[in-house]
């Protein structure tokens, strides 16, 4: 059995793996120490011939307390404080720095429903809700090397767009708009999952993310735009079309 | 304390006066034992009877929830293969196959039953009721009839929940969290979900009645001399849990009422989305649910922590290490537990500031928790541990809690949680910290208090045969879940093979399932031991474990009124390995045992009785 993280195809996924790795290392060491301590206590400090009486202490002496607090504090600084500092930087510098003004970013409107995903990009005119929008069902096509900026809504229940190979997920919630950004660093086909229980067929709510090099992506876009018009997909209902998806306000 | 002190303390004079503290209450006012079968065994107001009723109710539902877990594991190991033996009976119409709808109902009911109808009744209802008055030296709960109402409200809740299996469209399927809008008419049109809402509401009502009663009992009915800092940590556990219950179960109740309105009267508190064109807020439900839900985790675990803290001391034959720090840590956890719930909602798109605040608050909880944990280790260190069955289960808990607690850090970190949220990593984490800890603590408590409850000893040999397979398989199951989640598998998936990246995990899933069957089967050893001991076990002496808390000063089982004479407490609960006891030919001193060689007694006792140590603690000595 080979238990590994899914293949990482993203720009920032290694940050997530880094945090997980750091935690596994530090908590692993901490647990090892606990284990050794426990084993010694269990093996040697048990009642047997020659050890019928425990050492009587309430552990209330200042030095007992100092020791306990010191160990707790070391753990807290080595794991928690370090982690918070690191995470806060990564959140404000990467994950929560949305490409709002970035003209290079590909914007996608994601509509979740029981039990499928619909992805809508603006098409050549760069505006949503016009005839040249490209709408795909269950398939998200993106260029490699550009920020992908998703806004999500749900038509019915709470879903969660889960991109294991990009180490991220975000809920799609009826009545509000959520957002997520990521960037593909390599071409390929990657699975999209639903992570939030959304009814009997939750397990079937799978999608596909196809990342292509910029040139190929443009060819695809041209084809898809025609297909989209042919199939009439542009007319597919989209959650909350009427009020717009707030691309301008950044929220 | 002198003999005159004692007789004074026996009066209502002490700080622990109150309802049971009328003049001369040490000797008089013994409530008459009711006559008649119904009053004595069914609608009894005796906390010991009610405790046993809760225990039996909880154990029955533990079995049901356990069988459901096995069925879930079967589907994950053999997707699309009919369930052997019981399949035809349970899923006859599907040819013995678990359908997606049945699977959804199974994990929903497994979670609901385990949390609300198994573990809550066993630990809080069962042992809370049985132990509280006995451990603080009271004759019953402060409000015996409220206690009766609490049990029967719980019974009504179980009836409603059970009824949901037999309605059109089947049992509830929205998960134990019942997130809106899946739990509203949009995602769950059947009556089953409405019955779920009612059952949870009634369950909560039962909990609040119990909580009010426990809090009052601890505040008002402690025996003379039983100061707060002489209370066994078990009592602290139930006391603090009850405070959380009284404060936060009403929040759940509010959510249930609003959800009920949405479902039955067509309001739209939680309903939104273009499908229905409503303007409610599903996230509001999540706030309400987790505002309750996170404290709930501590509501369940704190009694277990209290019990384990006591039992480790009892069987290590050594006072609980850092009693006061432990109490302070418990109080700290209780306070912090009320302000961290947002860590369940990192992926709902909460504002960055909110997300980071909840992350920091959650991390801070690890300080009191590690103090508690370190004190357990301190208790064991240089002890003379007796490896009895209850002790084994406690040590098992220390181990699983270590793993479970540390894995919580992964989920508290927003960055890691973006990947791990709603995967099996979460499932593994909460099973280790909650399911494993609660199972192990419940078993420890049963093996420990069984003699007092039923007047007979349980078999130690069978107890050990129960412990080892349980402990090993339980760790394989729950750590396996962690690994599966690390590899990315979402929770609540009927058939993971729909995803290509999850297909290589099938062998591991099979392995986990096999361990789960072993875990389930090992519980049969417990069942045999339980019933055999109930009828055939060796008669229990008053104090089989040789410890000093008050319940062991009365007969096993205790008489209806518990104490012929309300005890007067002179020391803390953990005077084990006490030098002064040597003169008496034993290694422990009872909480109400008169002073032996006063000076020596004070020397070590000062640290737990609320009076400042008189400079002769062993550190100075
Ligand atoms: C006896 C061994 C147990 C096994 C093998 C087991 C196994 C499982 C499995 C496979 C799931 C489904 C996870 C998912 O798909 O999300 C699950 C869910 C759950 N279990 Fe257990 N479990 C056990 C005991 C317990 C206990 C004792 C508790 C309670 C303290 C508990 C509480 C839960 C909860 C709350 C859920 C979540 C239900 C939901 O997703 O709505 N389990 N368990
Ligand atoms: Cu979904
Ligand atoms: Cu929580």
């Amino acid at each position: 059995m080979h238990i590994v993280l899914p293949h990482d195809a993203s720009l920032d996924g290694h940050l997530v793996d880094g945090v997980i790795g750091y935690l596994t290392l530090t908590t692993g060491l901490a647990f090892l120490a606990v284990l050794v301590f426990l084993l010694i206590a269990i093996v040697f400090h048990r009642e047997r011939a020659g050890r019928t009486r425990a050492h009587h202490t309430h552990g209330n002496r200042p030095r007992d307390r100092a020791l306990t607090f010191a160990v707790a504090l070391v753990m807290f600084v080595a794991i928690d404080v370090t982690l918070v500092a690191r995470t806060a930087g990564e959140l404000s510098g990467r994950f929560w720095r949305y490409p709002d003004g970035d003209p290079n970013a590909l914007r996608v409107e994601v509509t979740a429903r029981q039990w499928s995903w619909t992805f809508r990009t603006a098409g050549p005119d760069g505006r949503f809700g016009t005839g040249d929008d490209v709408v795909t069902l269950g398939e998200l096509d993106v260029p490699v090397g550009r920020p992908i900026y998703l806004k999500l809504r749900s038509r019915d229940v709470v879903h969660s767009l889960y991109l294991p190979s990009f180490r991220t997920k975000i809920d799609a919630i009826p009545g509000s708009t959520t957002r997520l950004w990521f960037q593909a660093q390599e071409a390929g086909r990657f699975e999209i999952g639903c992570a939030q229980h959304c009814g009997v067929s939750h397990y079937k709510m799978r999608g596909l993310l196809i990342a292509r090099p910029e040139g190929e992506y443009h060819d695809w876009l041209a084809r898809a735009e025609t297909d989209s018009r042919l199939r009439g997909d542009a007319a597919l209902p989209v959650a909350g079309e009427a009020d717009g998806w707030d691309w301008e306000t950044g929220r | 304390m002198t003999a005159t002190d004692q007789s004074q303390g026996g009066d209502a004079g002490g700080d622990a006066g109150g309802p049971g503290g009328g003049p001369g209450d040490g000797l008089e006012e013994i409530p008459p034992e009711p006559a008649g079968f119904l009053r004595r065994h069914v609608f009894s107001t005796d906390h010991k009877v009610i405790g046993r009723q809760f225990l039996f109710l909880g154990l029955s539902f533990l079995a049901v929830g356990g069988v459901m877990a096995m069925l879930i594991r079967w589907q994950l190991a053999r997707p699309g293969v009919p369930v052997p033996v019981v399949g035809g009976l349970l899923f006859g119409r599907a040819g013995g196959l678990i359908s997606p709808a049945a699977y959804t109902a199974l994990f929903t009911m497994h979670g609901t039953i385990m949390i609300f109808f198994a573990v809550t009744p066993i630990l809080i209802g069962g042992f809370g009721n049985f132990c509280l008055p006995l451990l603080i030296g009271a004759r019953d709960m402060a409000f015996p009839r409220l206690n009766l109402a609490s049990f029967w409200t719980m019974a009504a809740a179980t009836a409603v929940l059970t009824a949901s299996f037999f309605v059109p469209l089947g049992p509830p399927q929205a998960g134990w969290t019942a997130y809106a809008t899946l739990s509203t008419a949009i995602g769950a049109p059947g009556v089953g979900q409405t019955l779920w809402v009612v059952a949870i509401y009634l369950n909560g009502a039962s909990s609040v009645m119990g909580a009010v009663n426990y809090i009052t009992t601890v505040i008002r009915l402690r025996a003379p001399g039983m100061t707060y800092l002489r209370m066994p940590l078990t009592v602290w556990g139930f006391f603090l849990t009850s405070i959380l219950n009284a404060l936060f179960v009403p929040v759940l109740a509010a959510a249930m009422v609003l959800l009920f309105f949405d479902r039955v009267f067509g309001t739209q508190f939680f309903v939104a989305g273009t499908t229905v064109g409503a303007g409610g807020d599903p996230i509001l439900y999540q706030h309400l649910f987790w505002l309750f839900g996170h404290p709930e985790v501590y509501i369940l675990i704190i009694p277990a922590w209290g019990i384990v803290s006591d039992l480790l001391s009892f069987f290590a034959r050594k006072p609980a290490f850092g009693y006061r720090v432990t109490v302070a840590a418990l109080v700290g956890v209780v306070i912090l537990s009320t302000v961290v719930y947002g860590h369940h909602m990192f992926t709902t798109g909460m504002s960055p500031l909110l997300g980071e605040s909840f992350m920091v608050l959650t991390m801070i909880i690890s300080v009191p928790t590690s103090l508690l944990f370190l004190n357990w280790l301190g208790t064991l260190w240089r002890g003379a541990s007796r490896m009895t069955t209850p002790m084994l289960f406690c040590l098992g808990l220390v181990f699983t809690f270590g793993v479970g607690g540390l894995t919580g850090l992964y989920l508290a970190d927003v960055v890691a949680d973006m990947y791990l949220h709603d995967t099996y990593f979460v499932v593994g984490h909460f099973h280790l910290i909650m399911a494993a800890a609660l199972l192990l603590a419940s078993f420890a408590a049963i093996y420990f208090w069984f003699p007092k409850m039923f007047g007979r000893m349980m078999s130690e040999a069978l107890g050990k045969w129960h412990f080892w397979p349980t402990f090993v398989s339980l760790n394989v199951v729950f750590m396996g879940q962690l690994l599966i989640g690390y590899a990315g598998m979402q929770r609540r998936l009927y058939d993971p093979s729909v995803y290509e990246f999850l297909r290589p995990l099938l062998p591991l899933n099979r392995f986990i399932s096999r361990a789960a069957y072993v875990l389930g089967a090992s519980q049969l050893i417990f069942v045999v031991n339980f019933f055999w001991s109930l009828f055939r076990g060796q008669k229990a002496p008053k104090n089989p474990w040789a410890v000093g808390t008050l319940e062991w000063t009365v007969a096993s089982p205790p008489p209806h009124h518990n104490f012929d004479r309300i005890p007067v407490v002179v020391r803390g609960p953990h005077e084990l390995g006490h030098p002064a006891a040597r003169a008496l030919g034993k290694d422990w001193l009872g909480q109400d045992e008169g002073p032996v060689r006063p000076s020596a007694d004070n020397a070590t006792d000062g640290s737990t009785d609320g009076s400042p140590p008189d400079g002769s603690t062993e550190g100075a000595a």
Side-chain angles (χ1 to χ4, degrees), chain A residues 115 117 158-160 194 196 198 202 205:
Chain A
W115 288 278
W117 304 99
V158 182
H159 302 270
S160 189
C194 179
Q196 181 63 57
C198 56
H202 161 57
M205 197 163 156

Side-chain angles (χ1 to χ4, degrees), chain B residues 290 294 297 340-341 343-344:
Chain B
W290 289 117
H294 188 83
V297 177
V340 301
Y341 76 90
H343 61 216
H344 295 272

Side-chain angles (χ1 to χ4, degrees), chain B residues 324 602-603 605-617:
Chain B
R324 288 183 187 201
N602 273 344
D605 192 34
S607 48
T608 52
D609 69 359
S611 61
D614 55 0
S616 54
T617 53

